[in-house]
Every structure is written in structure tokens, then in C-alpha cells.
Amino acid sequence: MKLRVFKILKSTKVEGPGIRYCIWVQGCSRHCKGCQAVHTWSHSGGELIDVKKIIEDIKLQSKIEGVTFLGGEPFEQAEALGIIAESVKKMGLSVLCFTGGYIEELLNDEANKNLLNNTDLLIDGPFEIDKTDYSRPWCGSSNQRYHFLTDRYDENIFTKYKNKVEVNISKNGVVFMNGMGNFDEIMQKIDLVRIK
């Protein structure tokens, strides 16, 4: 089975608790106004990667606490991510998953079962630009909710973690920012221009 991937970042400190392996899936039908990840919307972009290859790569990472799925819309590829999540949990690592949907709707679809059953922390809800709020870790709007689906994490994350942004520059000069914050404002402060 293959997963359509926008980007994999093998080590990040801003996409969930601890150091994490982060997978941005490619493809999202939700198209939230003000989304910072519009480049992940297309269902034909990105790269198809075999889930076994991704699992083997995760096994090679010695310093991570867990894996984060975001995008794009992870639940549009729930079957492939469920396989990865199940393997990640067997490694003793945690799984954090973002979704623009709400858990109530996700629970009604059998295809989501394995991914939900192997997720420790689910952050649900679409980004709503009129409710922009960066006061809670990893969320961009006040309507988004945290669901602690296992006892791995709890409300202590709210005092332990704050929103941060990382700036990564590839060997060929491509700048990639990740994390949670007002990216446009940050780019203005460091005099960068967004390429559409």
C-alpha cells in the first residue's frame, strides 16, 4: 500500500510533544479559508511512497518520541496511515494526528477505525480564520479540540508546550517553515516572500 506524501520531516520539535517524525499527507478536500498549507490540497501532487518504506525509515530514527500526521487531510488516507500508526505504536512511540473533521463524524466511518485506535492524541476541527487563536499548542483556531485517546498524554501539555515555528533551509536553498503561528507575519519580519 502507498501513501501520497507532501513532505516528511524526520526530526521536528514543533509538531507535537517531544521530537517527532512528521508526515504531511498530500490531498485535502476541505479547503479551509486561510489555510497555511494550501500546497497540500491537490490530490495529484506529492509523492507516492510505500508504507513499508516509511515504517522502516521511522525505525531508523533513534531520538524521536513519536510520529505526527498532518497535511492535507490525514483521514482521506486513513487506511495507509492506520497501518503506519499501528507499527509506530508497536515500536513504543506515540501518534498525534490532526484532522479538519470532527471525531464524531470520523467514528462513523469504518475506514478510520485502525487509525483512530492507534492515535494517542487527536486534534480535530477545521481551521476557522475568524477564530484564529495561537494560545494553545499546535492549534490555529479556538474551535479545534484535543482528544486524549490513550493515557499517553493529558492536559499537562497545555502548560508544558507552546506554539513555535521552525525554519528549515534545504541544501538547494528552499525554505520550509513548520509549526504553528502567523507565517505571513513571520515572513515579513525576516523579509521572505511567499511563492504561490
Side-chain angles (χ1 to χ4, degrees):
M1 174 165 287
K2 295 193 175 184
L3 179 72
R4 187 169 291 278
V5 174
F6 168 73
K7 184 173 187 67
I8 291 177
L9 194 57
K10 297 182 183 187
S11 178
T12 177
K13 295 179 179 178
V14 299
E15 300 292 356
I19 299 172
R20 306 190 73 77
Y21 186 103
C22 201
I23 303 171
W24 281 264
V25 298
Q26 180 73 46
C28 180
S29 302
R30 296 185 184 277
H31 299 187
C32 301
K33 182 180 179 184
C35 175
Q36 294 286 347
V38 295
H39 43 280
T40 67
W41 287 1
S42 170
H43 290 89
S44 59
E47 176 185 0
L48 283 170
I49 305 175
D50 193 291
V51 296
K52 290 178 184 174
K53 182 178 177 185
I54 295 171
I55 291 165
E56 289 307 310
D57 193 44
I58 293 168
K59 286 179 183 175
L60 296 174
Q61 312 309 313
S62 61
K63 296 181 180 177
I64 61 171
E65 177 173 332
V67 177
T68 296
F69 303 138
L70 63 172
E73 173 50 60
F75 282 89
E76 290 184 14
Q77 298 187 68
E79 186 178 359
L81 288 177
I83 293 168
I84 296 170
E86 188 173 0
S87 294
V88 165
K89 295 290 288 185
K90 287 177 182 173
M91 294 176 213
L93 302 172
S94 67
V95 174
L96 188 162
C97 187
F98 290 87
T99 179
Y102 286 109
I103 193 168
E104 293 82 1
E105 69 185 63
L106 300 175
L107 288 168
N108 290 326
D109 189 339
E110 189 66 23
N112 298 331
K113 186 175 181 181
N114 196 35
L115 178 53
L116 286 169
N117 285 345
N118 287 287
T119 295
D120 296 290
L121 174 56
L122 178 76
I123 298 179
D124 75 350
F127 174 71
E128 294 185 17
I129 196 165
D130 59 327
K131 295 179 181 175
T132 299
D133 177 8
Y134 299 120
S135 66
R136 300 173 301 149
W138 320 304
C139 284
S141 59
S142 60
N143 61 295
Q144 295 171 317
R145 305 177 303 175
Y146 299 76
H147 300 277
F148 302 99
L149 303 181
T150 69
D151 60 4
R152 180 93 181 225
Y153 300 113
D154 58 32
E155 288 82 5
N156 289 325
I157 63 167
F158 300 123
T159 54
K160 189 173 181 182
Y161 297 98
K162 302 291 180 204
N163 278 330
K164 294 181 182 177
V165 172
E166 290 175 342
V167 178
N168 298 280
I169 304 172
S170 70
K171 291 178 184 176
N172 60 357
V174 175
V175 176
F176 179 77
M177 288 195 318
N178 66 296
M180 185 55 66
N182 187 330
F183 283 21
D184 291 329
E185 185 178 293
I186 292 166
M187 288 172 60
Q188 286 175 352
K189 286 183 179 178
I190 57 177
D191 202 23
L192 286 175
V193 177
R194 183 188 295 268
I195 299 173
K196 305 244 177 190

